[in-house]
């Protein structure tokens, strides 16, 4: 899909604050409220906008310990990959999971309260998943940049 300048601006505005009213957006874009509504509906229907979410302050909900875990499977068969992905998708502590190239097979972003909670997650949840050969974890010292905005 190709976007005109207004579509790009609209996407940017919605990613910054999706609770803006169509009236507020129409003022910023110099369009009618109806035109803004129709553009948003078009972006939703074409799958460009997939959902609207609230960003939660991790510290306020006691989930400010962030770890990245590299996972290596014992074997790369379709069954092992499918089973691992199915099970890891059900772990609430796992915020993101990527099948990656390189020395490891997966990269997980894990969010928990503290080191003790991370250990409990590793021992009682992650390492109980079948077919994991090895793990390697790193912990965030300071979040320098975190953005959900995709530039179009």
């Amino acid at each position: 899909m190709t976007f005109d300048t207004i579509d790009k601006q609209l996407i940017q505005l919605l990613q910054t604050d999706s609770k803006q009213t169509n009236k507020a957006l129409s003022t910023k874009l110099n369009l009618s409220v109806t035109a803004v509504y129709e553009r948003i509906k078009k972006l939703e229907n074409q799958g460009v906008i997939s959902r609207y979410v609230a960003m939660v302050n991790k510290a306020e909900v006691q989930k400010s310990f962030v770890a990245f875990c590299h996972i290596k499977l014992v074997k790369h068969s379709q069954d092992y990959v499918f089973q691992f992905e199915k099970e890891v998708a059900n772990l609430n502590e796992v915020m993101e999971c990527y099948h990656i190239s390189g020395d490891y097979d997966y990269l997980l972003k894990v969010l928990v309260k503290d080191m003790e909670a991370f250990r409990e997650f590793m021992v009682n949840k992650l390492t109980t998943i079948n077919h994991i050969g090895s793990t390697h974890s790193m912990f965030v010292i300071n979040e320098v940049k975190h953005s959900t905005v995709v530039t179009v």
Side-chain angles (χ1 to χ4, degrees), residues 99-116:
H99 194 172
I100 59 173
S101 64
D103 292 337
Y104 289 90
D105 301 313
Y106 290 91
L107 176 64
L108 311 180
K109 180 179 180 182
V110 177
L111 209 60
V112 292
K113 180 180 179 183
D114 53 23
M115 180 60 86
E116 184 178 328

Side-chain angles (χ1 to χ4, degrees), residues 10-149:
L10 179 57
I11 292 167
Q12 178 71 30
L13 289 167
L14 288 171
Q15 286 185 95
T16 304
D17 180 5
S18 66
K19 286 191 74 172
Q20 296 178 73
T21 65
N22 287 350
K23 176 136 179 67
L25 291 167
S26 71
T27 301
K28 292 175 183 176
L29 297 169
N30 200 24
L31 292 175
S32 70
V33 174
T34 302
V36 168
Y37 174 81
E38 289 172 356
R39 282 178 181 263
I40 291 172
K41 280 297 165 204
K42 182 179 97 180
L43 292 168
E44 291 171 347
N45 291 337
Q46 293 181 340
V48 175
I49 297 174
S50 59
R51 63 185 168 152
Y52 298 90
V53 299
M55 300 297 293
V56 174
N57 182 329
K58 296 184 290 285
E60 293 298 322
V61 294
Q62 289 80 46
K63 298 287 171 105
S64 58
F65 189 88
V66 181
F68 290 95
C69 301
H70 286 105
I71 307 293
K72 190 179 289 190
L73 299 181
V74 292
K75 189 168 124 181
H76 298 103
S77 72
Q78 185 177 12
D79 290 344
Y80 284 23
V81 166
F82 178 77
Q83 186 63 34
F84 173 79
E85 290 178 1
K86 181 179 172 189
E87 290 188 45
V88 81
N90 290 321
L91 298 175
N92 292 332
E93 297 87 349
V94 176
M95 303 303 294
E96 300 173 43
C97 175
Y98 301 97
H99 194 172
I100 59 173
S101 64
D103 292 337
Y104 289 90
D105 301 313
Y106 290 91
L107 176 64
L108 311 180
K109 180 179 180 182
V110 177
L111 209 60
V112 292
K113 180 180 179 183
D114 53 23
M115 180 60 86
E116 184 178 328
F118 180 73
R119 182 183 186 285
E120 184 175 316
F121 164 76
M122 288 296 288
V123 171
N124 296 324
K125 292 186 178 182
L126 187 63
T127 57
T128 63
I129 295 176
N130 290 331
H131 317 307
I132 292 179
S134 64
T135 65
H136 176 82
S137 299
M138 298 168 287
F139 311 106
V140 171
I141 295 169
N142 182 41
E143 186 175 282
V144 177
K145 179 181 179 182
H146 177 254
S147 177
T148 60
V149 176

